[in-house]
Amino acid sequence: MSTSKKIGFAITGLLMLAGLVAWGIQVKEGLVLTNMRNSYTWGLYVAGLAFFVGNAAGGLVLSSMIYLFGVTSLKPFAKIGALCAFANVTAAMLAILPDIGQPIRLYNLVLHPQWRSPLVWDIIVLNLYAALSLLYLYLLMLPDFQGPLKKIALKVDHPKEFSEKWAKRLAPYSLAAAVGIHVITAWIFATQGARDWWNSAVLAPDFVAAALASGTAIVLLVCLLTYGLKDEYTQAYRTMAIFIAVALFTHIFFMYNDFFIHYWYGATEALDVLSITFKKYALAHAFEVVAPLAGVILLLSSNVRKSAGAMMTSCFLIIAGIFVHRFLLMPGAFDRVPLTIAPLGMQNTEFSVPIASGQYEPLMNTFVTEWHYFPSGIEIAIFLGVLAYVGFLIILAIDRLPIVKIEKAQT
Amino acid sequence: MRRGMVIDLEKCIGCRSCVVACKQHNAQPAGNWWNRVVTPGSERHLTPPEKGKEYFLPIHCQHCNNAPCEKVCPVNATYTEEDGTVLVDFERCIGCRYCMAACPYGVRQFNWEDPKKATARYGYQDGYTYGHPQEFRLKGRLVYMPSRFKGVVEKCNFCVHYADKGLDPACVRGCPGNARHVGDLDDPDSRVSKMIRDKNGFTLLPEKGTKPNVYYLPPKRKEV
Amino acid sequence: MQLKRRSFLKMGLAAGAATALDMKFLRYVGDAAAARTSEGETITRSTCSPNCTGACGFNVHVSDGRISTLIQSADYPETGYNPRGCLRGLSMMNLVYGKDRVKYPLIRTGERGSGKFKKATWEEALDYTAQKLKGIMEKYGPEAVALTVQVPGTGYVHKGALVRLAGLAHWSIHHGYDQNGDLPMFWPMTFGVQTEELESLEWPNARYTMVFGSNIIQTRLPDAHNLIKAKNNGKLVVFDPDYCSTAAKADEWVPLKPDSDAAMGLGMAKVIIDRRLYDEKFLQDFTDFPILVRKDNGKRLPAKDVKALANETAGWKIPPYRSLFVIRTPKGLAILNPERLDATEAILEGEFEVELTDGSRVEVRTVFSELKEMLAEYSLEKVAALTDVPAGQIERIAVEAATNTPLHAVYGASNYQWYNGDLKGRAISLLPVLTGSIGKSGGGISTYAGQYRIRFNLKEWWSAPGGKLNWVPYLYFLQGKGKRYPQKGIKAMIGGWGNPFDQHNMANRLKDRTASGDIEFVVTFDFSMTTSCQWSDVVFPATSWYENYELTATILHPYVQLQQPAIKPMFESRTAFWVARQLAKRLNPEFEKYYYPDLDENEASQEIIEVLLKTGGFETKGITLDMLKKGPVRLHSTAPDDRQIPFWEQVQNRVPFPPRSYPAPLKATARFLRSGRIEFYKDEDLFLETGEQLPVQKETFSETEYKVDPGARKKYTLRFVTKNSLYRVHSTHSNNVWLNELQGNKPKVFLNKNDAAERNIKTGDFVEIYNNRGKTRAYAVIDPGCRRGTTIFEQGWWARYLKNESYNSLTMPWIKPLHEIYFVPGIWSPTTVWNECLVDVRRVTA
Ligand SMILES: Nc1nc2c(c(=O)[nH]1)N[C@H]1C(S)=C(S)[C@@H](COP(=O)(O)OP(=O)(O)OC[C@H]3O[C@@H](n4cnc5c(=O)[nH]c(N)nc54)[C@H](O)[C@@H]3O)O[C@H]1N2
Ligand SMILES: Nc1nc2c(c(=O)[nH]1)N[C@H]1C(S)=C(S)[C@@H](COP(=O)(O)OP(=O)(O)OC[C@H]3O[C@@H](n4cnc5c(=O)[nH]c(N)nc54)[C@H](O)[C@@H]3O)O[C@H]1N2
Ligand code: SF4
Ligand code: SF4
Ligand code: SF4
Ligand code: SF4
Ligand code: SF4
Ligand SMILES: [Mo]
């Protein structure tokens, strides 16, 4: 094992452990250790769900593109794609787990699922997607299983053809599943009539667009890390860059389209919500737009594509931008109490009705109209743990499984 | 039978007795309040938003007919009883707080920590706790318990545990303004139906389409 | 779902419904009548009775020996009283089980005020107290020990036990009514009584209701719905400088200048008189308006001085507290009978000459003519300028009120807690009197301050043979001088049911005097560790109204009720009766026999209740302890259905004013109304000297703040109005965790927008309120309803919430000399005027 891998294992391992410990403490003490409260019920964990779900997209979309649209240049990356998809979709589920107040009762999801709940659909598609990406990965690896791994290989006559055939057959489903997890995850939010920030038809397509950008950026990042810059991949990298760019532009278009329509109509609720993003979170918003834009613009330049480091930085900018975008799902929804009324005879005033925060402090207001949320140490630790899990899994898989072909060939 | 409530804002004197009755009878832990009364337009209760303009508004679960909290609940822990009462099964709830995000009225409360621990912050002597002391199951589902689990959601339950005994909710019995009434909204001759009809009853956030079973009668009304 | 609890109970009995509260299991817990539910809870009916005097019936649900829930018992026979109770009563468990509960007898070990105590046994604490008291009594005389018991009306047994002891030991005693500033001096002056009021069930019978500075929605909360009914049956107008929540509910809010109510009353009276909208018959028969007044000396003309009547006076047998005055009827001069209010046909107006016995002639005129002349000063324009209310509005309201009778005027405490509060009350009383609304269902004038009015005769229990009380107005104690102040001063304070170290004037000076040893010994009896307890030498842990037997009454409703123990006394708390008995026997073994030595405290309490009911007089006739155990019982009154309608007997049966104010004998108060009628004209020398023979408007602060410090006009430009909070009963519930949560856990001071801007203060800023007497601190709230030049502080915070600086370091025990010309404890006595106080406010860092 290379030292870089060792360092990778050590760091991600330690972070995972820290996250696990943090979760343990949180399970014991309760979600009081987070900075969420009654008026701000979702935070980093749910943002993490949306983020990882988004990242999961890239993988299978990429892989399916190879087989559906014949973008063969991407073929060497198909396995990495599937792996990233699997790692991220499972991370998404891990990210949401600590958000559950009574994790032991999760069995109720199986015993008493409520079919009208988008969360139930989401859990189903996420699991399906996880299974599908694992299956895809397996299929793609099938021809390359060697040594002890042979044991888990399906006994078929022509593994290569088998793999190709089934990869092709599964491709449309993968694409549908990838789009599906986004649409349904988006529906968790978009169906909320209570939250004007989310309650928009464009949220689902926008989720898909943003996901394609960040998901592909992740795959690109992992490819760069594993394969580095090689002439043979120039075309593939270029394709990915263009793909990311289109996805990102679409995402930004969707986002501003939505803003514009709300701004133009000028309903107070909508303006309030916009002002949270544009005033209170102005810097974060600037970052969510500028960073990925800068990232794709850089990626689109062939000069930049000559440096692995520059490309990785660009990917990182895109991913970070989308992460901030996901995080910004929350303030717009929770910074403002949804129940507002115009006081009698003061029709032009909007008044937010305070909510009991759920926290009693002898010198603090219990009833609040605003709750300034920033994740607590525990939340950050847990989130980093999940992030580390993604890294750990990818390194582990690459280390143990026949994922990176060339290296195999070289050894 | 559709159990509904009518709150007469002309009669409501903003005293918050209903808030305290609810807190007490339903054993709400420190920091949680199922019911609240506000002075619309003003950050401070009882401080008018403007000279000469003031009324009071009590808010708790609106027991929506089209309850988003119920529809989003992945495990059916939040559900609607036959009479329209929206309840939380404390044994079922997984604590995802999806329902809290979904409720437009901000009435749902979460047990961020062990309620006993939270309530200990009040500093009572000898571990005192308040509230109706017996748990209550409706058709087997645990819809009231004197001390909730950590990590579950709670909210106004229309005092099912009292309804079962033929008693009005604590907030209704505790309202010195005679401003609160419960009754059958399906029965056009019930007192509540009449009030809504004759006194222009309205609901909160009608634009959200939640179709509440809690109605308000307008303030600043003069009956002659 | 519409089942009412009571009918449900009945149904449950009939049908034996399994889930119902089964009254068959009615059983006694201890002694209290308690019902047991099928779930093993017991339900005891007791009465919430802090100093708000709401006296609301509560059902106490107890399981495992602890209060689980409290809910209004809602068992008053008239639905108009149900469900009496409020947020404070509903959260009383926070005080019963709260962290500030006094658990054991405490004896001070540290410096005074340090809050350092040792836990003592009852024996130790009682022995120590008795020994200290004996020492002080020997050294300075028994009157150097002074007792305060607040709001006796809400606890006749236990408060009485201490009064009985004070009597036996010949201590001094302060009357809470004047100490609190609750005594509205216009009452004895005008109507010869301590206070009177309509029961709230009568409010809806008024066609017109005028509220002058009484925040009923908050301070008479359980009765507020009857005010809303009154509004719907007629019209409700609220006169208040502040847009208080009662103003918010009114049909009309009149934001008058603070302390200008006298001008307002006079202005409206003038309109009513000018337009002849008054009830002439009523004025002739029930008021002093037809009485003749000498123009030369301003005195009322005694019949014995009038030549034509002097001989006739010999035939009149009248009590010494009455005088024979002269009226003119169409038949000529006549003696006004002070003992019957028969129709006199008296001529209301006129000015003429009368020949006196010495042959001289004097010019005389009727009181009504005097009044009219005085009112000439109060033209609408002038009143508008004085009150800051448009003339047209004043005129319209006056006409509306006079043409929609009965008129009910409510005159609130904050309004009369000004130096010239008596003048305001006298002026406002003109309105119900002129319109003939007195003594009628729904009509009259009422004050609802902390209610001290004793509702029946208590003598049997409150005084013991050989007892004697030395009544000393509390303000004299504060000033350390005064007519009745003991020569060697007051050296020991014994108090219960009160928290003077926060709630009373010169709270800071009181601390200084205690710290310096000028006050040598302080004993407090309370269930909460108040600021006063912190400053005491001995603290006795008291029972709450859910731990003892007590007989309570109030004025908002005419029901007598019981407090009954629902739980065992917490920790080592005991009743005041028991403490009094223990102290009595230690002070003098002879005293023990007056305290039912053979009975335990609960048996004795019940015994005393029976005695009180038996000997209470007409009001308690036929009422027994057993009846009370079943629920509230209405006291008797002279009005139909035992309604509480002031002066019903006077007006309907033409009995002279005043009715008796317990416990004072009639002769003590009747002398205030020598004519036996409602008197607006006062001719005692000091009234004449001060120009207050009739109500007038006087400039605020000119005899107080501006007089002692002319510089105050510029230096302190904000009036400091301290009013009552929804969330507290004065300082009771100051530490109630829920109620503090509901108000953001912070004390607040309310400011007008412009006043705040001038001082660069924003909502949420931490500010200091100060004058040259003291200071306190709170968080600023810009209140659009708050009037310019006024700052409002919701009083009742324990010092610990205010960085240990009480708002009552700012106020001042001003004494109006007119209040000293007679002395009847709690009835005609120097009374506190909280709002006569100037301050300024500045921003400080927390
Ligand atoms: N919640 C609660 N209720 C209580 C009490 C309590 O502490 N808390 N205390 C009880 C006791 S002991 C008392 S004495 C009563 C007192 O009860 P209230 O008589 O209602 O007295 P406040 O609430 O002090 O003030 C009433 C109003 O008088 C107004 N006011 C002040 N100055 C003037 C003036 O010059 N003119 C006019 N027109 N209005 C003026 C104030 O703005 C205020 O709105 O409340 C009793 N009830
Ligand atoms: N600046 C300013 N000061 C004011 C006023 C104002 O308007 N402005 N208002 C004044 C008025 S109107 C009043 S009435 C006074 C009231 O002042 P206080 O009479 O001192 O009233 P509280 O502060 O309520 O204190 C009552 C105490 O009695 C205790 N207590 C209650 N029930 C029982 C019982 O059953 N047994 C025993 N042993 N103790 C009991 C409570 O715990 C509490 O500590 O304040 C006056 N002070
Ligand atoms: S108890 Fe009744 S009057 Fe008081 S705030 Fe609640 S609804 Fe209004
Ligand atoms: S008010 Fe909120 S919690 Fe209650 S039923 Fe409606 S959506 Fe659900
Ligand atoms: S928190 Fe509980 S009640 Fe709410 S949606 Fe989740 S499981 Fe349902
Ligand atoms: S019905 Fe019961 S639970 Fe709901 S607000 Fe009233 S008291 Fe609270
Ligand atoms: S605090 Fe006063 S008004 Fe409230 S319940 Fe008790 S007695 Fe009644
Ligand atoms: Mo008072």
Side-chain angles (χ1 to χ4, degrees), chain A residues 119-198:
Chain A
L119 190 61
V120 169
W121 312 336
D122 204 41
I123 289 162
I124 293 172
V125 292
L126 288 182
N127 278 294
L128 275 178
Y129 190 76
L132 201 62
S133 50
L134 200 60
L135 182 64
Y136 221 104
L137 182 63
Y138 178 82
L139 278 175
L140 294 176
M141 289 188 304
L142 198 57
D144 304 320
F145 282 136
Q146 270 156 15
L149 288 174
K150 263 237 150 34
K151 265 185 272 167
I152 59 159
L154 201 67
K155 305 283 172 293
V156 289
D157 293 342
H158 305 285
K160 240 196 166 94
E161 280 87 83
F162 183 86
S163 158
E164 279 285 305
K165 186 172 87 199
W166 278 98
K168 202 164 186 143
R169 278 192 187 166
L170 281 180
Y173 301 100
S174 310
L175 190 65
V179 172
I181 56 172
H182 296 108
V183 169
I184 288 173
T185 306
W187 282 353
I188 290 182
F189 302 97
T191 49
Q192 306 290 296
R195 311 279 163 184
D196 297 296
W197 180 232
W198 298 338

Side-chain angles (χ1 to χ4, degrees), chain C residues 5 9-10 12-13 20-27 34-36:
Chain C
R5 214 183 96 79
L9 277 176
K10 279 187 217 131
L13 265 173
L21 303 173
D22 198 339
M23 297 297 276
K24 271 179 282 184
F25 288 91
L26 193 109
R27 55 152 229 168
R36 180 167 279 276

